[in-house]
Amino acid sequence: EVNDRNQPTGALAGQEKYGELGAYYIFPQAENVVYLTFDLGYENGYTGKILDALKEKNVHGVFFVTMDYVRSAPEMVQRSLDEGHVLGNHSVHHPSMPSCSTEEATQEIMGLHDYVKEHFGGYEMTLFRFPRGEFSEKTLVLARDLGYASVFWSYAYVDWKTDAQPDVAASLEKLANAAHP
C-alpha cells in the first residue's frame, strides 16, 4: 500500500516509529528524488554492469558492503568511490544483529568501518544497513551511537538465501508494478 505520494505506508510507519533512533525508511522530502541503494553482501557479478549503467546515466548510488565483498573485490569498491558513489556499512559477517551481543554487534559494525577507513584512503562510512533487515531497538541505538544512520529498504530481494532467488522476468514485472501501481 502507498500514500498519495506513492510512498509505501509500511516505510512511513517505520520512519515514524524509529526515525528518532537514527533510522531512515523515507528520506527527508524532496521532489522527484529516488535513492538507489545496493547491498553487496552476496554479490552475483553484477556490480560492474550496475556501475556502468549508473555512470552512463550520471546517477549515483549507495553501495552497502560486507567485509567479504570489500576484501574480494577491492577494485570494485575503489571504482565506486572514484565514480562518486557512497559506501555504506553492511557488517563484517552479515549476521542477524539482534542475536549478537553488544560487543559482537559493535565489532560487526566497527570492524568493517575501520578496515574500509584504513584501506580506502581514510573513507568514513556513515550509513548502515542491517543484514537481512533484522534489528532491535538496542542494535538501532548502538548503530546510532557509533555514528551511523541506519538505512532500510522498501523493496529488496532476500539475497542471503542464495538458493531461493526469484525468476528474473517475474522480478522485473514485480518491480514495474511496484513503481507504477
Side-chain angles (χ1 to χ4, degrees):
E1 293 183 30
V2 295
N3 68 7
D4 62 340
R5 297 190 69 210
N6 203 28
Q7 297 170 315
T9 55
L12 292 166
Q15 186 63 47
E16 185 175 323
K17 184 171 184 177
Y18 299 111
E20 60 187 46
L21 298 179
Y24 286 94
Y25 289 81
I26 300 285
F27 275 84
Q29 300 301 317
E31 288 299 317
N32 300 319
V33 175
V34 173
Y35 294 92
L36 295 175
T37 65
F38 304 89
D39 292 359
L40 300 179
Y42 295 96
E43 201 275 342
N44 200 20
Y46 298 117
T47 303
K49 292 177 184 177
I50 291 169
L51 288 169
D52 290 344
L54 294 173
K55 186 175 185 178
E56 177 186 324
K57 302 297 182 185
N58 195 30
V59 172
H60 293 104
V62 180
F63 289 86
F64 288 94
V65 296
T66 60
M67 182 70 83
D68 181 64
Y69 186 79
V70 169
R71 286 184 172 159
S72 67
E75 69 288 345
M76 285 292 155
V77 173
Q78 189 61 57
R79 179 181 169 192
S80 69
L81 290 171
D82 292 346
E83 293 179 6
H85 302 287
V86 173
L87 280 188
N89 190 326
H90 202 35
S91 77
V92 172
H93 299 103
H94 204 266
S96 172
M97 295 296 279
S99 68
C100 295
S101 70
T102 300
E103 295 77 22
E104 291 168 333
T106 299
Q107 180 53 37
E108 285 292 330
I109 296 169
M110 295 309 295
L112 180 60
H113 179 96
D114 294 341
Y115 184 89
V116 166
K117 184 176 180 181
E118 180 180 335
H119 291 89
F120 293 93
Y123 187 85
E124 295 257 4
M125 294 183 292
T126 60
L127 301 176
F128 182 72
R129 174 161 284 155
F130 283 92
R132 308 174 196 181
E134 297 174 355
F135 70 99
S136 64
E137 286 193 23
K138 179 180 169 183
T139 56
L140 195 54
V141 168
L142 174 65
R144 182 196 65 197
D145 291 350
L146 292 173
Y148 278 87
S150 296
V151 178
F152 292 86
W153 24 254
S154 55
Y155 178 81
Y157 285 120
V158 181
D159 63 345
W160 57 93
K161 293 185 179 181
T162 56
D163 60 346
Q165 293 301 300
D167 174 72
V168 173
S171 299
L172 291 172
E173 181 179 328
K174 184 175 181 179
L175 183 59
N177 290 337
H180 299 71

